[in-house]
């Protein structure tokens, strides 16, 4: 039976904490270097929030086999980025749409409070390995009760502030 080293355990706990945060918030905390492609049947709107947030750049946008150009000012038709949304001027997302883009945070651009909350959750995961399945212990006539969840109220509050809500 081989046991994991401290470094391997730490890396696994941090990876699990990042994954949990991504699932909770809907964010992507590591930016892919490859383009992401989303294809969908549009229903006529002018606003799109891609699945991977935050939105970094759009490589291409086609609607009903027509390439839509980046709008360089308010007079020109096309798309532009408004925060994490793709907005259209002179077009609608009507018909088969294909968006190619990059999204997610660079490691150095993850908000500090979000990163700190991930570290806090990570520490809980790491500590939990010493008492998996144990609710309490008595040591030298003192009773120690372990938390049922590593997800503290502080971590939940921060993650909820970043949570993406789909309308």
């Amino acid at each position: 039976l081989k046991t994991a080293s401290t470094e391997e355990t730490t890396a696994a706990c941090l990876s699990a904490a990042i994954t949990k945060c991504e699932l909770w918030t809907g964010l992507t905390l590591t930016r892919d270097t490859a383009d992401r492609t989303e294809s969908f049947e549009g229903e006529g709107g002018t606003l799109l929030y891609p699945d991977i947030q935050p939105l970094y750049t759009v490589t291409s946008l086609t609607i009903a086999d027509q390439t839509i150009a980046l709008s360089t000012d308010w007079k020109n038709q096309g798309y532009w980025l408004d925060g994490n949304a793709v907005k259209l001027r002179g077009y609608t997302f009507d018909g088969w749409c294909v968006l190619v883009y990059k999204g997610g945070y660079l490691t150095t651009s993850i908000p500090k409070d979000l990163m700190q909350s991930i570290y806090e959750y990570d520490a809980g995961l790491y500590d939990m390995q010493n008492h998996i399945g144990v609710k309490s212990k008595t040591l030298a006539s003192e009773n120690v009760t372990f938390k049922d969840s590593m997800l503290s109220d502080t971590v939940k509050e921060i993650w909820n502030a970043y949570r993406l809500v789909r309308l």
Side-chain angles (χ1 to χ4, degrees):
L1 178 68
K2 181 183 179 232
T3 59
S5 69
T6 302
E7 292 82 18
E8 291 170 328
T9 302
T10 302
C13 287
L14 183 57
S15 178
I18 289 170
T19 299
K20 176 75 171 186
C21 181
E22 288 179 329
L23 291 170
W24 187 279
T25 62
L27 296 172
T28 300
L29 298 179
T30 53
R31 182 177 302 158
D32 289 334
T33 55
D35 286 331
R36 306 281 292 190
T37 301
E38 289 183 30
S39 303
F40 58 95
E41 185 70 33
E43 297 178 358
T46 59
L47 179 67
L48 172 69
Y49 287 93
D51 287 340
I52 304 298
Q53 297 288 327
L55 178 60
Y56 176 65
T57 186
V58 170
T59 305
S60 67
L61 173 63
T62 56
I63 301 172
D65 293 326
Q66 181 180 3
T67 300
I68 309 300
L70 175 66
S71 177
T72 55
D73 63 43
W74 64 272
K75 296 180 281 184
N76 293 330
Q77 292 184 342
Y79 75 87
W80 79 98
L81 304 182
D82 186 9
N84 289 319
V86 178
K87 288 190 173 182
L88 295 177
R89 181 179 297 114
Y91 299 95
T92 59
F93 290 106
D94 195 16
W96 192 249
C97 304
V98 179
L99 174 69
V100 181
Y101 70 100
K102 285 184 175 63
Y105 285 101
L106 290 173
T107 306
T108 57
S109 67
I110 297 173
K112 290 184 184 347
D113 61 339
L114 189 57
M115 199 66 227
Q116 180 61 39
S117 69
I118 291 169
Y119 289 143
E120 183 178 324
Y121 183 75
D122 172 44
L125 288 176
Y126 187 81
D127 288 343
M128 185 181 163
Q129 70 180 336
N130 296 322
H131 54 83
I132 292 174
V134 177
K135 293 198 182 269
S136 65
K137 254 186 193 178
T138 303
L139 303 167
S141 74
E142 294 220 12
N143 193 29
V144 178
T145 304
F146 300 107
K147 293 189 286 184
D148 289 339
S149 170
M150 288 99 23
L151 199 56
S152 70
D153 290 340
T154 304
V155 171
K156 283 182 192 174
E157 185 177 323
I158 292 168
W159 289 5
N160 282 336
Y162 287 94
R163 191 175 227 170
L164 297 174
V165 178
R166 298 283 182 204
L167 303 176

